[in-house]
């Protein structure tokens, strides 16, 4: 074992006022994180919000973006100085978000720190982030994130060990102060978990029979995982995984697997050269994109279809206990839960709200409209898990993505669904828009907009059924009498100005009307969303910057 000479130092610092974690940890421009003591302040504030970790294990990894390695060295030295006994780090500083969750659980660690700004672009001019996960492997609940923020506002000093850098690229152990730093294979635990959940022989067989896959790792964290799983373990043709090397700037791309940033996959899937399945994941590996030959699957539909078919995968053979979705996610999954007579939960946006439901065994499958799906196997959404689930379903049902989606719509009805994002608008305007909507809420029910009539309108509040904690102001909902819905909320992951998200949904039970183009099917609701919220007046934009 390498032993690094080391001495604990207490470093004086001053608070930064902007360290309140958002939907998923603290995300800022990389330059902000590079300010003196900025990252160290936040890390010390995490430790200050925790109790009882002396001598215990901390898992550390990141999505490989610019500043990842430097940040990991700081976290290691601070974790050792603050008394953790063991620090597990993914080789090369790499751990996808779901893999970090899996390692925390498998190693019964006290918690974990993941360095990532997820789907936000990386690089010196782009974004960086950090989040803390608790011992169940899931994102810290609001009680902890608020305690972190409170401490960051009064912090006067932090503890760090003076020691040379740990070699992140060599598996093995190093002593840093009183702690052992263990560099682990970032893929092994995760791969074993996937093998325990899915029918690998059946999936390998469809690849043998000529099934084709194109998985775009977007030069982000999933490359090594995807190659090990799809190409090595399941026998997909070499080259099935593209952009498979994690790069500090994601090759200059935006590692967000949606129809805008992964447009080429949609084009491929709609072309004559379409493989059976096109898929992608995001910067930190927790999101997924699923497109069959000639068929995009909306994340909300994907959640519903997974819920309806999960029993086809060995890990879920005995059925699922319940389903949870974030409030803005379409209600397609609700119809499946109703049919299966299982629990259905509607939570605020962000995976941290699923943790209690999963821990209590109330739900097995969770999902979000933002390309997130996962299950009780970890406590994060999981991009590769979703792709494997689809492969398992395809292998078991011996049919194509398109056929499965169409059959699902025919059985349950179709939820036309789209999200319109107005990115990086002025914060004042965005906040005024929401304030204006809140003021309008009591007067909305009964109002008509063309053929649409408002049935109910509210500001979504959630009471956690397990610990009774309350989260308010989680998005404005406008529900119409014929089952359509508009939701407005401000993003909690952006790093510049504000981002307004408008979620639009229409339920169509009639199979004869399932072939419309989505924006067309939603046109009157889109116009109504503008009328109710006066989006152009408040944001100065006449159209969204991203439509998914
Ligand atoms: C967005 C998504 C949300 C997701 C969050 C983190 O949050 O809408 O569903 O949980 O990102 O995902 P917001 O507050 O910007 O709408 V990830 O893959 O960026 O960690
Ligand atoms: Co992500």
């Amino acid at each position: 074992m390498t032993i690094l000479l080391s001495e604990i130092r207490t470093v004086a610092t001053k608070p930064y006022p902007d360290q309140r974690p958002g939907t998923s940890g603290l995300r800022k421009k990389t330059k902000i994180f590079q300010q003196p003591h900025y990252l160290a302040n936040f890390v010390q504030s995490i430790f200050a919000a925790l109790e009882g970790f002396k001598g215990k294990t901390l898992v550390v990894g990141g999505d490989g973006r610019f500043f990842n390695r430097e940040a990991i060295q700081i976290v290691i030295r601070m974790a050792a100085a603050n008394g953790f006994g063991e620090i597990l780090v993914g080789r090369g500083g790499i751990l996808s978000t779901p893999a970090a969750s899996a390692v925390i659980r498998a190693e019964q660690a006290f918690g974990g720190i993941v360095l990532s700004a997820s789907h936000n672009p990386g690089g010196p001019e782009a974004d960086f982030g950090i989040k803390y996960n608790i011992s169940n492997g899931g994102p810290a609940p609001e009680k902890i994130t608020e305690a972190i923020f409170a401490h960051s506002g009064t912090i006067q000093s932090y503890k760090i060990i003076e020691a040379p850098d740990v070699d992140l690229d060599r598996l093995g152990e190093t002593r840093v102060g009183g702690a052992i730093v263990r560099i682990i294979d970032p893929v092994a635990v995760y791969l074993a978990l996937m093998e325990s959940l899915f029918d690998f022989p059946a999936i390998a067989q469809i690849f043998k029979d000529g099934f084709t896959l194109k998985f775009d790792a977007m030069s982000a964290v999933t490359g090594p995982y995807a190659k090990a799983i799809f190409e090595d373990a399941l026998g997909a043709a070499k080259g099935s995984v593209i952009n498979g090397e994690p790069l500090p700037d994601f090759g200059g791309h935006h590692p967000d697997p949606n129809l805008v940033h992964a447009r080429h996959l949609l084009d491929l899937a709609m072309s004559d050269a379409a493989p059976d399945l096109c898929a992608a994941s995001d910067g930190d590996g927790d999101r997924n994109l699923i497109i069959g030959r000639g068929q995009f699957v909306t994340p909300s539909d994907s959640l519903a279809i997974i819920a309806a078919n999960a029993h086809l995968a060995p890990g879920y053979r005995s059925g699922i206990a319940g389903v949870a979705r974030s409030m803005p996610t379409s209600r397609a999954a609700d119809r499946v839960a109703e049919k299966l007579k299982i629990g259905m939960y509607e939570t605020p946006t962000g995976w941290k709200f699923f943790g209690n439901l999963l821990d209590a065994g109330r739900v097995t499958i969770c999902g979000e409209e933002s390309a997130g799906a996962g299950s009780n196997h970890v406590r994060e959404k999981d991009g590769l898990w979703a792709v494997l689930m689809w492969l398992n379903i395809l292998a078991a049902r011996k049919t194509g993505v398109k056929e499965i989606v169409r059959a699902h719509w025919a059985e349950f009805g179709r939820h036309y669904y789209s999200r319109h994002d107005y990115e990086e608008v002025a914060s004042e305007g965005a906040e005024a828009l929401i304030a204006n909507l809140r003021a309008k809420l009591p007067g909305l029910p009964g109002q008509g907009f063309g053929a649409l009539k408002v049935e109910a309108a509210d500001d979504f509040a959630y009471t956690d059924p397990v610990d009774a904690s309350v989260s308010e102001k989680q998005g404005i909902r406008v529900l119409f009498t014929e089952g359509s819905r508009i939701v407005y909320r401000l993003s909690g992951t952006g790093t510049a100005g504000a981002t307004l998200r408008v979620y639009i949904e229409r339920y169509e039970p009639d199979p004869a009307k399932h072939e419309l183009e989505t924006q067309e099917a939603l046109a009157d609701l889109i116009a109504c969303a503008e009328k109710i919220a006066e989006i152009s007046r408040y944001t100065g934009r006449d159209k969204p910057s991203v439509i998914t």
Side-chain angles (χ1 to χ4, degrees), residues 398-432:
K398 302 190 179 7
T399 179
V401 173
K402 189 168 188 166
E403 291 69 25
I404 288 176
V405 169
R406 298 304 156 113
H408 188 89
W409 290 345
E411 182 176 357
F412 293 95
R414 176 172 181 186
H415 287 255
Y416 283 101
Y417 187 86
S418 185
R419 189 178 92 193
H420 289 198
D421 290 336
Y422 298 78
E423 293 181 326
E424 300 192 13
V425 300
S427 301
E428 303 73 46
E431 270 148 34

Side-chain angles (χ1 to χ4, degrees), residues 201-430:
I203 301 173
Q205 188 59 46
I206 62 170
F207 280 119
K208 236 184 234 142
D209 296 341
F211 186 94
T212 48
L213 165 75
K214 193 61 86 183
F215 178 85
D216 190 346
M218 304 190 94
S219 306
V221 80
T222 49
Y225 298 87
K227 282 191 223 161
I229 293 171
F230 300 133
E231 296 185 2
D232 301 343
L234 293 170
K238 289 273 173 248
S240 297
V241 175
I242 56 171
N243 298 315
E245 288 302 320
L247 300 175
D249 67 346
F250 306 128
H253 296 128
H254 201 136
D256 191 350
N258 63 27
L259 296 184
V260 177
H261 300 297
R263 175 85 212 177
H264 59 282
L265 279 186
L266 181 70
D267 294 341
L268 176 65
M270 300 300 154
S271 76
D272 290 343
D276 293 297
L277 182 66
C278 287
S281 191
D282 70 333
D284 63 333
D286 56 0
R287 297 189 178 202
N288 73 86
L289 173 70
I290 300 289
I291 318 179
R293 186 180 289 129
Q295 180 69 56
F296 165 61
V297 188
T298 71
S300 295
D301 277 351
S302 182
L303 172 67
I305 292 169
I306 287 175
N309 291 278
H311 62 278
L312 299 172
Y316 308 89
R317 194 142 279 157
S318 51
I320 57 176
V323 184
R325 62 164 172 82
S326 66
M327 181 274 281
T329 304
S330 102
R331 291 162 294 177
D334 302 34
R335 298 186 186 276
V336 175
E338 205 179 311
K339 181 149 193 184
L340 295 177
K341 299 194 172 55
I342 54 174
M344 177 74 223
Y345 297 84
E346 184 175 44
T347 61
T349 294
W351 213 264
K352 58 177 170 251
F353 295 102
F354 295 137
N356 279 348
L357 297 171
L358 289 163
D359 285 351
R362 291 190 184 221
V363 302
T364 308
I365 305 279
C366 307
E368 295 192 277
E369 54 67 41
S370 55
S375 85
N376 59 354
H377 69 291
V378 288
R379 292 293 181 274
E380 290 274 8
K381 56 189 186 276
D382 189 342
L384 291 171
W385 173 89
V387 180
L388 283 166
M389 179 61 95
W390 267 95
L391 286 170
N392 198 135
I393 294 169
L394 291 164
R397 288 186 51 174
K398 302 190 179 7
T399 179
V401 173
K402 189 168 188 166
E403 291 69 25
I404 288 176
V405 169
R406 298 304 156 113
H408 188 89
W409 290 345
E411 182 176 357
F412 293 95
R414 176 172 181 186
H415 287 255
Y416 283 101
Y417 187 86
S418 185
R419 189 178 92 193
H420 289 198
D421 290 336
Y422 298 78
E423 293 181 326
E424 300 192 13
V425 300
S427 301
E428 303 73 46

Side-chain angles (χ1 to χ4, degrees), residues 24 27 97 116-119 131 255 282-287 381:
S24 177
R27 278 186 211 176
T97 286
S116 170
S118 189
H119 60 289
K131 56 183 175 178
D282 70 333
D284 63 333
D286 56 0
R287 297 189 178 202
K381 56 189 186 276

